[in-house]
Amino acid sequence: MAGSRLAAPAGAWLDRSRQLSFTFNGRELRGFAGDTLASALIASGVQLVGRSVKLHRPRGVWSCGAEEPCALVDVGEGGRRTPNVRATVLPLSEGLAARSVNCWPGVGFDLGALTGACAALLPAGFYYKTFMWPDWHWFEPAIRRMAGLGRAPTRADPDHYEEIAADTDVLVVGGGPAGLAAAAAAAEAGARTLLLTSGARWGGALAWQAGAEGAAAEMRARRAGVRLQSHTRAFGVYDHNLVCALETVVSEGRTDLPPCVLRERLWKIRARQVIAAAGAFERPLLFPDNDRPGVMLARAAHQYAAAFGVACGRRALIAANSDSAYATARALQSLGVAVAAIVDRREAPAAAAAADRIPVRTGAALIAVAGTRAVRGCTVARVSDGAPVRGSAEHFECDLILNAGGHAPAVHLHSQAGGRLRWLAASAMFVPDGAAPGLASVGACAGVFDPPAAVSHAAAVGEALARGRAAPEPPVGGAGTCAPVTRVAGVAGKQFVDLQNDVTSADVALAGRENYRSVEHLKRYTTTGMGTDQGKTSNINALILMGECSGQPPETVGTTRFRPPFVPVTLGALVGRRVGELYRPLKFLPAHAWHLAHGALVESFGDWRRPAAYPRAGESLEQAAQREAGTVRRSAGLFDGSPLGKLEVYGPDAARFLDLMYVGTMSTLALGQARYGVLLNENGTLVDDGIVARLGAEHFWVNTTTAGAERTAAAFEEWLQCEYTGFRVLVTPVSSRWANVTVAGPRAWQWLAACGFEAALAPHAMAHMTLRASTWQGLPLRVLRASFSGELGYEVNLPADHAATLFGALWERGREFGAELYGIEALQVLRTEKGYLHIGTDTDGTTLPQDVGMARGIEKKAANFIGRRSLSRPVASDPARPQLVGLASADARTLLAVGAQIAARRAPALSEGRVTSSCWSPALGRPVALALLNGGAGRLGERVRVHHLGRSTEAEVVKTPFVDPQGARLHG
Amino acid sequence: MMQLNCPWCGPRDENEFVCGGTTHIDRPALGADDTQWGRYLFFRDNPKGVHLERWRHASGCGQWFNMARHTVTHAVLAVYRLGEPPPAAGKS
């Protein structure tokens, strides 16, 4: 039992008057308000917190912050379960329930430890070498189950998340002494300043070390007008100084919550200048079994004692590679933790003189650690040339081994912003090499480790940036000397580089032997630095080791690319409010409620919610579609075509412009006349189609497809603004302004007349493919006589707000005319029976107008149009091109599947085409289909084989339309 | 996410815009041969450096404008209107 609680004044952050109960692996434990889960576990004597991912080695708490690689736990229940929470940053709350991860049946007795016995089969990159024969897929399911740490929740998250945008002159990331000084100075110089800190308290290390100084620094910042934002951790710098940060509003594991709370807030901060004051991580040393529970970072043990009143052990031994070890040793002793010895890797550190009465061994290293589930002691020896000197071994009794191996400035924000790094050989660390564009670094993350120097430099930077001047260079230094390589050669036992991913020094050497030369390859091959801690306490050791193996200095090896996020960010925070109904914007018909009330089965068609059909009781969707289509051909049907794209094209050059856009000629339209047109892209491919009608001398009504409404309007705008800038044309999208009530069928006009439509719209008075302005009950109408069904058809465009009124009025008289409502499915049946193509279904990205029978129209037009040049390329006149044809099943029974391939033989064979549309024809009582078939135009009458899911059918290539080929029914 | 300076609406987030690719493209006449036409359709320069391109403020004023952007640093060196020539090199 190593850890215990210290008496006051240790524990500056605790509120000892509020005791909290929590459970860990079902065991009830106690802590105080102000504890983190990690500090409460250590204080309760818990040392074994989890099992490592690959080798299932017992692990305990390693650090006191976000860099924690080992103490990951699952917290919460049901939809509020959060996996892989770092116990070192999770605030303790009443009733918190935390569980170890990656162990079964429990962390104490874990069957997964057997993998540790097979460690030789599991080196770095084992999945490229082992478990391959006879078939990797035999082993994959088991390995997949064993991979990973925590378990994801299986229920929906009941809480919600928000996004907030902020704009500021100066953003300071990090609320330690340097950050507070920079922010205060910037604000005092007049800049709008925002300061972020990830925890609850201001002052960083000052908050648990130096008492009053921290409070004074915070007060100064507040009085200067700095906006202080706590619980907010910046996790990435993006283009143009956009910094994203995650605010924890309600921490994980709390049990006192209402059913739904705001849990996290994503900050998107656009800053003129960013100041990074992110501090530095402590670097550990490498020695055998340096991952045992009880091995920790030295500064972490100091913080546990001072801030949380927790002694991580009774008797500590400090493995040192940095002068900070000595100050930490003195601080620990004064707080009540005995220090058995300081074992300094360096030969003659100056700081050793001030060690008080603590035994010091210099030029020495740990060569063995006793204890598996907890440190019991260790063996120390002098090292020479990196190997232990014979006969110099010494045993120490201790239950805590602390790493004081040097510092690694947190250069993430600087690097993400595009800043460069340089290597300080004496202190074995990377520091920023000059400022990054728009981002300056202060304090430890800039390599400034002397506290007064850091504060005064930070203030100077804050003031300079606020006044629009360049930031002064940082006074790098104060970290003392630090030996880069600490690995001990010639001793047994794993020396861990990356604790979270179980990467040892042997794995790094293996990568070097297998000729991985780039640090990026080293990272990916060994997976070092790829865990949730992203190598914060392992990357530097890994690249130094790689340099040792390959004979390169660390500055040549370099670092891997720093990418956001700095810490794991929940998907909930990134998604924010865009869940459920707000996942994506949906479009609804103006008469949506009316359709629902009349039995519509509404489905999604792209972004639109539309009636697929209006099934009667007991009817399937297919049966409803057949019934509705049949009724349209026999009597009449009512359809909502409102999503159809509608544009008004207006201006002296409107006609000329439309001639340029369309394959056909629109300038020759008489007033009120309409024409079908297709649009191509510059590659000659069909991209949209629709009817164009002339409303006036300089005024056209343009219909586009539903899917192409926005796209086509945008294309017209691009041509007018970017290329044909001299054309005097205005294009106004009016799709949502006008509803489209379509009435189709032989009795369509009788029905409309009975409902009060004026006689001028009758078929004998108004030709097919004409558009008339009209009114109905005082509402302005644009009535287009057109048909996608092949029957007499009227598309009544009226102001969208009144759509339901017209639907209601028509439906009241519908029964007299044998009319029915019909939806999209019936529409598809009707248009397929007529062989009318649907862009994107019967055409693809290579289909040219001549492939769908429009060659004659192109020949007749002399003028240029978009895409014309591409129609005269050699490939465009290849007679074997896919062409749109009709297909009729030979047995008049088999419905061909859309996507079925046409080929002479079973697969594998060369495909000659595919079925693009297919349905049962109620009018003909047999199936009909459309297909793109190589050279189809010249193969009418031929029998082809159509293959689908291993079965094949014979079909005949036929002309379309299937129903009413002469088009007589269009005229009622 | 960049912040782009729409000439009409001022600085806005990148997701309000649509990128239209390289600008100042010379469209060959109808009489161009197949190779010239093919190069126009399918070949574009992909510089590691300053790229002249055009953007549309789709979720705003709907207008197109030209921009000089450095493809590595994403620094926006110039914003100018359609039809204007690119500003002289060295001018920021």
Side-chain angles (χ1 to χ4, degrees):
Chain A
M1 287 292 212
S4 59
R5 188 72 76 177
L6 297 166
W13 291 1
L14 292 183
D15 178 0
R16 294 189 196 245
S17 69
R18 283 175 50 211
Q19 248 207 350
L20 302 173
S21 314
F22 68 102
T23 65
F24 181 61
N25 292 330
R27 195 173 139 208
E28 283 208 16
L29 298 166
R30 286 208 147 63
F32 292 109
D35 263 328
T36 59
L37 175 62
S39 65
L41 283 173
I42 300 172
S44 306
V46 172
Q47 272 202 293
L48 191 50
V49 176
R51 292 278 180 162
S52 68
V53 69
K54 185 167 73 171
L55 303 174
H56 286 255
R57 286 174 68 101
R59 293 284 170 80
V61 176
W62 166 256
S63 75
C64 193
E67 65 269 33
E68 178 61 34
C70 299
L72 303 182
V73 295
D74 280 357
V75 166
E77 309 287 338
R80 285 194 164 136
R81 180 195 184 98
T82 310
N84 296 343
V85 177
R86 286 150 296 161
T88 51
V89 295
L90 176 65
L92 191 70
S93 56
E94 177 65 34
L96 181 81
R99 293 167 295 279
S100 297
V101 300
N102 199 40
C103 49
W104 187 84
V107 69
F109 174 66
D110 171 34
L111 284 179
L114 290 173
T115 60
C118 309
L121 283 178
L122 306 169
F126 74 87
Y127 28 82
Y128 304 122
K129 303 163 184 166
T130 51
F131 304 104
M132 301 290 284
W133 182 89
D135 188 344
W136 157 246
H137 292 103
W138 285 17
F139 306 99
E140 188 189 356
I143 291 178
R144 248 184 220 293
R145 264 196 305 276
M146 289 171 58
L149 293 166
R151 288 191 308 128
T154 51
R155 296 223 218 109
D157 189 338
D159 298 318
H160 67 262
Y161 302 80
E162 243 174 40
E163 185 179 301
I164 185 168
D167 188 277
T168 187
D169 294 331
V170 174
L171 171 69
V172 183
V173 177
L180 283 167
E188 282 161 5
R192 288 176 306 147
T193 310
L194 174 60
L195 173 60
L196 306 180
T197 195
S198 57
R201 288 178 182 77
W202 298 96
L206 289 181
W208 46 274
Q209 272 177 14
E213 281 173 49
E218 181 191 341
M219 203 29 40
R220 179 171 164 224
R222 283 195 197 279
R223 272 203 234 102
V226 175
R227 186 170 159 198
L228 276 77
Q229 180 65 35
S230 65
H231 298 98
T232 307
R233 188 188 296 277
F235 62 79
V237 183
Y238 302 88
D239 297 323
H240 298 185
N241 265 11
L242 177 74
V243 176
C244 286
L246 185 66
E247 179 186 354
T248 306
V249 180
V250 170
S251 60
E252 282 96 357
R254 277 181 55 181
T255 53
D256 58 337
L257 302 174
C260 173
V261 293
L262 171 66
R263 196 166 269 283
E264 288 174 339
R265 196 178 272 127
L266 176 70
W267 284 71
K268 288 185 171 172
I269 305 162
R270 195 72 76 172
R272 310 274 153 298
Q273 299 287 338
V274 180
I275 301 177
F281 304 113
E282 191 150 41
R283 190 157 75 89
L285 287 89
L286 301 181
F287 51 86
D289 292 324
N290 57 345
D291 69 322
R292 295 298 186 204
V295 179
M296 298 179 67
L297 297 174
R299 209 176 64 209
H302 184 184
Q303 187 171 358
Y304 279 119
F308 298 101
V310 175
C312 296
R314 267 184 303 267
R315 207 170 142 73
L317 182 134
I318 302 184
N321 189 19
S322 160
D323 293 341
S324 63
Y326 297 85
T328 305
R330 283 194 299 279
L332 283 170
Q333 283 206 308
S334 70
L335 286 161
V337 179
V339 179
I342 298 176
V343 178
D344 205 318
R345 196 81 161 81
R346 303 168 294 171
E347 282 298 340
D356 266 352
R357 277 157 312 201
I358 302 170
V360 176
R361 302 286 179 269
T362 60
L366 278 72
I367 59 169
V369 171
T372 320
R373 282 137 184 272
V375 168
R376 283 187 287 108
C378 62
T379 309
V380 171
R382 279 193 50 76
V383 293
S384 165
D385 280 334
V389 171
R390 242 184 219 289
S392 67
E394 210 184 327
H395 295 278
F396 283 93
E397 287 227 350
C398 57
D399 60 358
L400 187 60
I401 296 175
L402 300 179
N403 284 284
H407 296 98
V411 295
H412 302 66
L413 294 175
H414 164 87
S415 302
Q416 288 170 19
R420 293 220 283 266
L421 300 175
R422 68 186 166 94
W423 178 252
L424 282 187
S427 326
M429 60 173 63
F430 276 106
V431 296
D433 184 16
L439 187 145
S441 298
V442 298
C445 76
V448 184
F449 286 88
D450 174 49
V455 166
S456 82
H457 170 250
V461 168
E463 193 201 339
L465 294 183
R467 298 201 193 282
R469 295 197 295 261
E473 289 292 314
V476 174
T481 58
C482 184
V485 179
T486 59
R487 182 182 71 93
V488 187
V491 288
K494 294 180 170 26
Q495 300 184 41
F496 283 87
V497 175
D498 181 327
L499 268 71
Q500 186 166 128
N501 279 1
D502 278 343
V503 179
T504 64
S505 58
D507 293 321
V508 177
L510 177 68
R513 281 201 305 279
E514 297 193 2
N515 206 26
Y516 288 96
R517 291 274 159 257
S518 155
V519 66
E520 297 279 6
H521 286 156
L522 166 77
K523 167 184 173 177
R524 285 156 179 81
Y525 189 64
T526 60
T527 75
T528 185
M530 292 180 74
T532 64
D533 63 325
Q534 288 287 286
K536 291 173 176 61
T537 53
S538 57
N539 283 341
I540 302 296
N541 279 340
L543 66 92
I544 287 173
L545 258 188
M546 179 180 177
E548 193 199 11
C549 296
S550 61
Q552 295 174 307
E555 59 265 38
T556 312
V557 175
T559 58
T560 55
R561 193 171 175 87
F562 291 86
R563 292 193 172 91
F566 178 69
V567 286
V569 176
T570 58
L571 291 175
L574 295 173
V575 162
R577 293 281 191 186
R578 292 182 297 274
V579 290
E581 282 185 7
L582 298 180
Y583 172 62
R584 60 185 243 252
L586 289 176
K587 299 173 182 169
F588 293 87
L589 303 174
H592 177 74
W594 188 91
H595 290 293
L596 280 179
H598 288 79
L601 172 63
V602 172
E603 291 193 339
S604 291
F605 296 91
D607 290 340
W608 283 95
R609 299 285 292 164
R610 309 182 71 168
Y614 301 77
R616 299 211 178 116
E619 243 187 352
S620 71
L621 181 59
E622 290 71 30
Q623 288 166 332
Q626 292 285 303
R627 170 182 52 76
E628 292 168 10
T631 305
V632 172
R633 293 241 184 265
R634 271 195 317 276
S635 18
L638 183 58
F639 174 78
D640 196 329
S642 301
L644 211 59
K646 309 164 202 78
L647 309 175
E648 296 203 25
V649 180
Y650 183 86
D653 296 315
R656 193 173 143 222
F657 176 67
L658 290 174
D659 281 354
L660 187 54
M661 293 294 108
Y662 281 89
V663 172
T665 303
M666 301 305 174
S667 54
T668 53
L669 285 170
L671 189 64
Q673 201 186 355
R675 187 166 293 156
Y676 172 73
V678 291
L679 294 162
L680 311 180
N681 62 16
E682 291 210 87
N683 205 17
T685 304
L686 292 156
V687 292
D688 209 64
D689 66 354
I691 292 173
V692 177
R694 184 187 278 276
L695 292 170
E698 296 179 346
H699 194 187
F700 290 85
W701 172 262
V702 173
N703 277 128
T704 71
T705 61
T706 300
E710 282 159 28
R711 196 178 63 213
T712 303
F716 284 179
E717 274 301 323
E718 186 172 357
W719 287 116
L720 288 168
Q721 289 189 35
C722 302
E723 186 70 20
Y724 302 107
T725 55
F727 279 48
R728 296 154 299 169
V729 183
L730 292 174
V731 175
T732 306
V734 294
S735 304
S736 54
R737 186 73 188 78
W738 296 88
N740 171 323
V741 178
T742 298
V743 181
R747 306 193 71 187
W749 171 246
Q750 295 162 22
W751 188 13
L752 286 168
C755 291
F757 282 76
E758 59 166 326
L761 303 173
H764 62 266
M766 178 181 174
H768 180 62
M769 293 299 270
T770 58
L771 183 148
R772 287 269 164 88
S774 184
T775 60
W776 177 79
Q777 297 198 357
L779 294 169
L781 306 180
R782 284 178 176 161
V783 181
L784 175 67
R785 218 193 113 186
S787 179
F788 199 39
S789 60
E791 303 300 316
L792 171 67
Y794 287 87
E795 293 186 9
V796 179
N797 293 280
L798 77 160
D801 293 340
H802 299 276
T805 310
L806 179 54
F807 274 111
L810 286 168
W811 192 238
E812 242 185 75
R813 307 291 304 268
R815 193 156 301 121
E816 296 163 42
F817 303 93
E820 280 179 8
L821 294 162
Y822 69 102
I824 296 285
E825 295 299 322
L827 185 75
Q828 294 299 332
V829 169
L830 293 164
R831 71 101 188 156
T832 306
E833 285 178 324
K834 293 296 294 183
Y836 293 158
L837 63 80
H838 188 241
I839 300 269
T841 305
D842 303 300
T843 72
D844 64 22
T846 66
T847 312
L848 307 177
Q850 52 259 50
D851 300 334
V852 296
M854 296 181 191
R856 226 168 12 111
I858 297 164
E859 288 158 26
K860 289 200 313 201
K861 178 171 177 176
N864 190 18
F865 54 86
I866 302 300
R868 174 160 217 157
R869 177 61 188 80
S870 292
L871 301 182
S872 55
R873 290 183 299 202
V875 68
S877 45
D878 178 2
R881 285 182 62 79
Q883 288 152 352
L884 192 65
V885 295
L887 284 183
S889 314
D891 65 1
R893 231 177 357 107
T894 308
L895 185 64
L896 300 177
V898 171
Q901 297 294 312
I902 303 166
R905 275 179 308 286
R906 291 209 128 86
L910 219 51
S911 171
E912 294 173 41
R914 65 183 185 281
V915 175
T916 59
S917 297
S918 174
C919 68
W920 187 272
S921 164
L924 303 173
R926 61 174 171 84
V928 295
L930 301 175
L932 280 170
L933 177 64
N934 292 352
R939 293 168 76 167
L940 293 177
E942 195 180 306
R943 289 269 171 130
V944 293
R945 292 213 71 85
V946 181
H947 305 264
H948 180 65
L949 295 180
R951 310 246 275 270
S952 75
T953 321
E954 253 201 4
E956 186 181 330
V957 180
V958 296
K959 276 202 332 204
T960 59
F962 299 94
V963 169
D964 179 34
Q966 307 309 317
R969 299 183 66 87
L970 282 170
H971 306 287
Chain B
M1 179 169 63
M2 299 189 285
Q3 192 182 54
L4 305 181
N5 226 329
C6 172
W8 294 270
C9 305
R12 296 296 180 93
D13 281 344
E14 181 187 337
N15 57 12
E16 289 189 19
F17 298 86
V18 167
C19 183
T22 308
T23 193
H24 301 307
I25 299 197
D26 277 320
R27 181 167 286 99
L30 200 52
D33 66 34
D34 283 337
T35 307
Q36 281 179 305
W37 185 244
R39 291 207 81 84
Y40 159 71
L41 281 181
F42 303 116
F43 283 68
R44 293 286 181 274
D45 281 337
N46 186 18
K48 183 177 178 179
V50 180
H51 184 232
L52 300 178
E53 55 199 29
R54 63 184 184 214
W55 290 74
R56 174 170 186 249
H57 193 188
S59 304
C61 59
Q63 300 304 300
W64 285 91
F65 58 92
N66 284 330
M67 199 166 93
R69 174 180 65 94
H70 195 281
T71 57
V72 177
T73 63
H74 287 195
V76 175
L77 299 148
V79 169
Y80 54 107
R81 305 224 173 163
L82 259 303
E84 284 175 14
K91 208 164 91 144
S92 69

